[in-house]
Amino acid sequence: MKILVVGNGGREHAIVWKLKQSPSVTQVFCAPGNAGTGLDATNVDIKATDIPRLLKFAQAEKIDLTVVGPEVPLVAGIVDEFLKADMKIFGPTKKAAELEGSKTFAKELMKRANVPTAEFRVFTNAAEAISYIDEKEHTERFVVKADGLAAGKGVVVCSSKEEAREAIRRMLLKKEFGDASTRVVIEERLEGEEVSLLAFVDGKTILPLEAAQDHKAAFDGDTGPNTGGMGAYSPTPIITQDLIDLVVEKVLVPTVHQLKKEGRPFRGCLYAGLMLTNQGPKVLEFNVRMGDPETQAVLMRLKSDLGQLMLATAEGNLDSLESVEWDPRPSVCVVMASAGYPGDYEKGKPLRGLEEAAQVPDAKVFHAGTMKVGDQIVNDGGRVLGVTALGDNLAEAKLHAYQAVKCIRWDGAWCRKDISDKAAGR
Ligand code: AMP
Ligand code: GLY
């Protein structure tokens, strides 16, 4: 198979790298890719959102399967355009991708399907939203969310009514997120530990992947601002087989069934972000794609043919595949970031030590925000690398990952030092 991977982050580099090892795959392209995907595949200079040009390229190159990494092209309908042209593609259609594209749609669908989630109300009018907050007694704890895609920044977790009112004003009056915040969802704030479960779904069959846990806060001990994810490890002792079974039964099955019933069959990767509350797991959000950096940690452990798995998902015959094989060894992915991230940062700093890092046993450096300039690889994003390693146990996987991290330097490079420590003591 010839495969085109769409996207340019660490997740896409991990997908490209694993597909290259798949016996069913002969050639991999990545559009637009980064300096790392350029080493493991052929980069194609087309933006992930330029659907017409992506389709033209896939047709001209006779691509057998296109794999879409990020949510933006999915929500924009890339899958629909490819299917109309009779091209195979991994990911949900525009109607199914609304599960991530509109938080209102997701919450209302969960209500119809009886999927456990936080209580919520939807508002388009700021005055009404504010009086809802004012009138709520016995609680100061709310979460205010922009309805549409806001690159992970459209969620404000509040500890007081004033914070909630301010978030409402920013979204509905100041339109800080543009069209994405013409509607807001106000939820009760849930307490508990956060986990995510990812599954390949082919419309009917649900295949959960090995569990991974993200680290969303910028700094050690889960302090500092929220980020896209500063590291991940897999498997995680928090997500037991019993919990996976429970989430499949209470969340994934009813969601997939409800989508199908409403004429929006889901194919691709369904990602449930969950809070483990006293009353059991509740859904915080759905994503309609693989997680980043969870994918780096999870694919490091995949032994089966990823090309076959993705093709079967796209074709709707996951049930015909043999069971998926995983490396029992744990993996740890440490994100190295630019100075200033998740705020502003400078680009164009040359990276050193990538060759040395590549010598560390059982380690792989996935590129996220990198670019090749002449002979040099420079930083080109906030999250720059996902340094990922395996080990006989979690402590060893962590050691290998940080050994590789130590080899790599650029002006302002930093990372969390405690990735996977959450698992300790469990
Ligand atoms: P989302 O993009 O909806 O997952 O929200 C981003 C982050 O906000 C989540 O990863 C949680 O940490 C937090 N969050 C979202 N909804 C809630 C909620 N109802 N209660 C507590 N925290 C939440
Ligand atoms: N790691 C969180 C996400 O991919 O949305």
Side-chain angles (χ1 to χ4, degrees):
M1 274 196 291
K2 282 169 89 171
I3 302 203
L4 169 64
V5 176
V6 176
N8 64 349
R11 164 184 51 212
E12 287 76 23
H13 189 191
I15 293 172
V16 158
W17 170 79
K18 188 44 78 175
L19 285 170
K20 277 292 271 201
Q21 299 164 23
S22 301
S24 68
V25 175
T26 50
Q27 203 177 359
V28 183
F29 296 92
C30 190
N34 57 40
T37 62
L39 299 172
D40 286 314
T42 308
N43 283 347
V44 184
D45 189 17
I46 306 177
K47 282 207 191 95
T49 46
D50 192 345
I51 298 172
R53 277 188 69 209
L54 290 169
L55 178 58
K56 244 195 195 151
F57 174 84
Q59 287 174 316
E61 281 291 335
K62 299 198 165 45
I63 296 292
D64 298 291
L65 178 69
T66 297
V67 174
V68 187
E71 63 276 15
V72 173
L74 292 168
V75 171
I78 188 172
V79 170
D80 307 67
E81 295 308 312
F82 272 63
L83 292 179
K84 263 189 246 160
D86 224 11
M87 300 291 288
K88 285 180 188 156
I89 184 159
F90 176 94
T93 59
K94 185 173 181 165
K95 274 167 91 180
E98 230 183 304
L99 204 56
E100 179 166 358
S102 165
K103 292 192 189 285
T104 308
F105 172 76
K107 293 295 282 191
E108 285 172 351
L109 183 112
M110 283 189 264
K111 207 162 149 188
R112 293 194 288 278
N114 230 337
V115 169
T117 186
E119 256 183 66
F120 73 100
R121 287 277 302 273
V122 180
F123 294 94
T124 50
N125 180 290
E128 284 171 23
I130 289 173
S131 28
Y132 171 75
I133 297 283
D134 290 342
E135 284 160 22
K136 267 264 174 191
E137 283 173 26
H138 315 300
T139 182
E140 297 274 323
R141 302 173 73 77
F142 300 94
V143 181
V144 181
K145 300 183 174 185
D147 178 68
L149 294 184
K153 299 195 177 85
V155 174
V156 184
V157 179
C158 309
S159 304
S160 72
K161 286 190 169 179
E162 185 43 36
E163 271 181 69
R165 286 190 287 259
E166 182 53 25
I168 291 166
R169 286 184 213 113
R170 280 171 47 207
M171 291 187 197
L172 287 176
L173 296 179
K174 296 182 192 149
K175 302 261 179 257
E176 246 174 56
F177 301 99
D179 283 349
S181 67
T182 50
R183 268 197 297 192
V184 300
V185 175
I186 301 181
E187 293 184 7
E188 65 171 316
R189 178 172 164 186
L190 301 173
E191 304 298 327
E193 178 135 37
E194 233 182 293
V195 299
S196 33
L197 187 69
L198 282 71
F200 281 5
V201 177
D202 71 351
K204 45 191 198 298
T205 302
I206 296 169
L207 176 77
L209 305 181
E210 283 287 272
Q213 193 174 29
D214 191 4
H215 296 61
K216 290 202 186 203
F219 308 133
D220 286 8
D222 283 342
T223 56
N226 220 35
T227 70
M230 294 303 297
Y233 66 97
S234 171
T236 144
I238 302 152
I239 309 178
T240 58
Q241 189 57 49
D242 283 351
L243 180 60
I244 294 177
D245 294 344
L246 184 71
V247 173
V248 170
E249 182 199 326
K250 300 275 186 218
V251 174
L252 298 183
V253 168
T255 301
V256 168
H257 182 76
Q258 189 70 26
L259 283 167
K260 195 168 164 205
K261 209 166 102 184
E262 298 184 11
R264 303 169 187 252
F266 190 97
R267 279 184 182 171
C269 181
L270 181 56
Y271 169 135
L274 305 155
M275 190 73 92
L276 303 181
T277 73
N278 293 337
Q279 295 131 41
K282 291 191 180 183
V283 177
L284 295 174
E285 63 161 344
F286 281 116
N287 295 322
V288 297
R289 40 135 187 114
M290 298 182 79
D292 188 337
E294 293 94 324
T295 301
Q296 292 86 312
V298 166
L299 291 188
M300 197 76 184
R301 300 185 49 230
L302 179 67
K303 291 179 115 174
S304 301
D305 182 321
L306 180 63
Q308 247 183 13
L309 267 172
M310 288 183 148
L311 181 68
T313 305
E315 289 184 326
N317 49 29
L318 267 179
D319 56 348
S320 69
L321 284 191
E322 289 166 26
S323 64
V324 177
E325 219 192 309
W326 298 97
D327 193 324
R329 290 176 300 165
S331 63
V332 171
C333 168
V334 178
V335 170
M336 295 181 75
S338 299
Y341 176 79
D344 294 337
Y345 49 85
E346 282 177 33
K347 295 181 180 181
K349 315 271 186 205
L351 273 58
R352 310 201 191 286
L354 289 168
E355 301 77 15
E356 273 166 76
Q359 306 301 317
V360 175
D362 292 322
K364 171 72 187 174
V365 178
F366 295 117
H367 291 223
T370 67
M371 192 169 86
K372 204 159 175 218
V373 177
D375 284 342
Q376 282 187 327
I377 291 178
V378 303
N379 76 320
D380 187 45
R383 293 189 294 171
V384 179
L385 301 172
V387 182
T388 312
L390 292 162
D392 286 335
N393 50 53
L394 200 58
E396 204 172 281
K398 181 183 172 191
L399 189 75
H400 290 161
Y402 281 102
Q403 262 171 9
V405 164
K406 270 204 198 107
C407 303
I408 303 169
R409 298 167 302 280
W410 74 85
D411 185 14
W414 65 279
C415 66
R416 272 180 69 157
K417 302 282 186 280
D418 65 343
I419 301 302
S420 81
D421 290 356
K422 286 177 201 246
R426 284 190 181 256

